[in-house]
Amino acid sequence: MTDPAYFERMYTTSDDPWHLATNPYEKRKYDVTVASLPRERYRRAFEPGCSIGLLTALLAPRCDELIATDTVAEPLVTARATVPASHVTFAQSSLPDWPDGELDLVVLSEVLYFLSADVRAQVLAHVVRSLGVDGHVVLVDWRHPFDEAACTGDAAHAEFGASPGLARVVEHVEDDYRLEVFGRA
Ligand SMILES: C[S@@+](CC[C@H](N)C(=O)[O-])C[C@H]1O[C@@H](n2cnc3c(N)ncnc32)[C@H](O)[C@@H]1O
């Protein structure tokens, strides 16, 4: 698993170390992500690794309740200012920590490949256990290897695809990223 100090360091060099707010690639990917949600509305959603809250802002109008977390506190200050909605809760928390209760949307965007195989397995178990019968889990991940990643996005997606508890309902693959949505099998 990527050392948590890596993310702390990234946010000391910049408020937006991955240029999420300025790179047109990210903006388009966020738009494709929300366009891929099979349902118009969700009751209770969880978005770990939310960073500065840009995808959170697009998810918020689709959710009655949205819990967004990041392992680093600093980007959550920006996220709270970006999404000042009372039904959206931001908290500092690290996967595999998981909210109690049923969820009907989990969004794992550009975070799975930072996790060790053991933590990815715990996250998958949390998804299968907590997802309601009409729920969806969305995975969006950079496909190429890089030094800080524990695996490729494609490898992390394959683990979810192999779960007997999940069934794929959306698959969108580009040269640089893979987006998949799963429901309950
Ligand atoms: C590449 S950014 C992606 C941000 C956002 N999800 C997106 O798609 O634009 C990865 C984020 O995940 C956070 N992160 C890394 N490991 C985490 C963990 N174990 N639990 C929660 N957040 C984590 C990092 O601090 C960082 O803000």
Side-chain angles (χ1 to χ4, degrees):
M1 177 145 148
T2 306
D3 182 354
Y6 164 75
F7 301 105
E8 295 281 355
R9 270 199 312 277
M10 291 294 279
Y11 285 109
T12 59
T13 61
S14 165
D15 291 347
D16 181 12
W18 289 278
H19 310 292
L20 305 175
T22 51
N23 187 341
Y25 165 86
E26 301 293 345
K27 166 78 172 80
R28 181 174 161 274
K29 182 159 56 78
Y30 294 148
D31 290 342
V32 173
T33 301
V34 292
S36 301
L37 295 177
R39 282 169 40 204
E40 185 56 33
R41 286 207 68 80
Y42 290 87
R43 295 179 297 278
R44 187 162 185 262
F46 179 42
E47 185 207 2
C50 66
S51 186
I52 56 175
L54 295 165
L55 181 56
T56 320
L58 300 177
L59 295 169
R62 307 279 293 270
C63 303
D64 297 338
E65 180 186 356
L66 172 55
I67 302 160
T69 62
D70 202 282
T71 194
V72 182
E74 196 277 334
L76 297 172
V77 176
T78 307
R80 287 189 184 95
T82 304
V83 195
S86 59
H87 69 293
V88 180
T89 306
F90 290 100
Q92 185 178 12
S93 174
S94 298
L95 291 168
D97 290 351
W98 205 256
D100 292 333
E102 185 174 294
L103 301 163
D104 64 346
L105 179 64
V106 176
V107 178
L108 294 160
S109 173
E110 310 291 354
V111 68
L112 271 182
Y113 48 71
F114 288 122
L115 309 176
S116 66
D118 174 57
V119 173
R120 292 197 307 275
Q122 292 182 60
V123 167
L124 175 54
H126 281 311
V127 166
V128 170
R129 178 186 49 73
S130 64
L131 206 62
V133 284
D134 57 352
H136 294 114
V137 56
V138 182
L139 313 182
V140 191
D141 289 285
W142 179 250
R143 299 184 62 202
H144 311 294
F146 61 100
D147 285 350
E148 293 79 14
C151 69
T152 62
D154 282 3
H157 284 225
E159 293 166 355
F160 276 63
S163 169
L166 298 175
R168 184 183 297 101
V169 293
V170 174
E171 184 174 37
H172 174 83
V173 185
E174 302 199 6
D175 286 349
D176 290 332
Y177 75 93
R178 175 181 294 270
L179 184 156
E180 289 181 89
V181 182
F182 296 88
R184 292 197 71 92

